Amino acid sequence: MSETVAPAPSVALRALRVVQVALALFYGLASALPKLIAHPSAVESFDRMGWSSAGMYTIGVLELAGAVALLVPLLQSVAALALAALMVGAFVVQLTAFDGENAATPLVLLVPLVVIAWMRRDHNARLLRRYPRS
């Protein structure tokens, strides 16, 4: 009886997975949760931007969805791209509404997201094959 054993993932892929889990925890707990529970700090920030609570909840839901999708193998590259797009928007908001106060934060988060999107790009092809054009 011979079984085919898949090779163990490389150290780089294991490290990438650790980064994905850390980012998922960050986006889910530190970023999305305060928005979704209307924590006073989140409400104050969105008021300062002139955005309604609907905008705050929308961003929170997008961040939470991205956090969960970062942990789903088929969705992780798309999730990283979507969260990267959010970080570009966050960078612009930091520059315009907050005078660059924390503008480096979205850029710092953008780097690992781009790496994840690139390293997991084969998942995009698999995802597209699941939904062929008619």
Side-chain angles (χ1 to χ4, degrees), residues 96-112:
T96 57
F98 296 101
D99 300 319
E101 192 174 301
N102 293 309
T105 303
L107 295 179
V108 168
L109 292 168
L110 186 64
V111 172

Side-chain angles (χ1 to χ4, degrees), residues 40-104:
S41 64
V43 172
E44 178 191 345
S45 294
F46 277 81
D47 284 346
R48 193 168 157 194
M49 290 186 292
W51 289 24
S52 68
S53 60
M56 179 179 67
Y57 292 124
T58 300
I59 299 293
V61 166
L62 290 172
E63 289 174 340
L64 183 60
V68 171
L70 273 177
L71 302 175
V72 177
L74 193 60
L75 300 175
Q76 52 199 357
S77 180
V78 173
L81 287 172
L83 288 169
L86 273 176
M87 291 303 97
V88 170
F91 175 71
V92 171
V93 167
Q94 287 296 328
L95 289 179
T96 57
F98 296 101
D99 300 319
E101 192 174 301
N102 293 309

Side-chain angles (χ1 to χ4, degrees), residues 15-41:
L16 186 65
R17 188 66 177 163
V18 169
V19 171
Q20 285 176 239
V21 170
L23 284 171
L25 288 170
F26 169 78
Y27 279 106
L29 298 176
S31 193
L33 186 63
K35 294 172 183 82
L36 295 175
I37 64 170
H39 188 273
S41 64

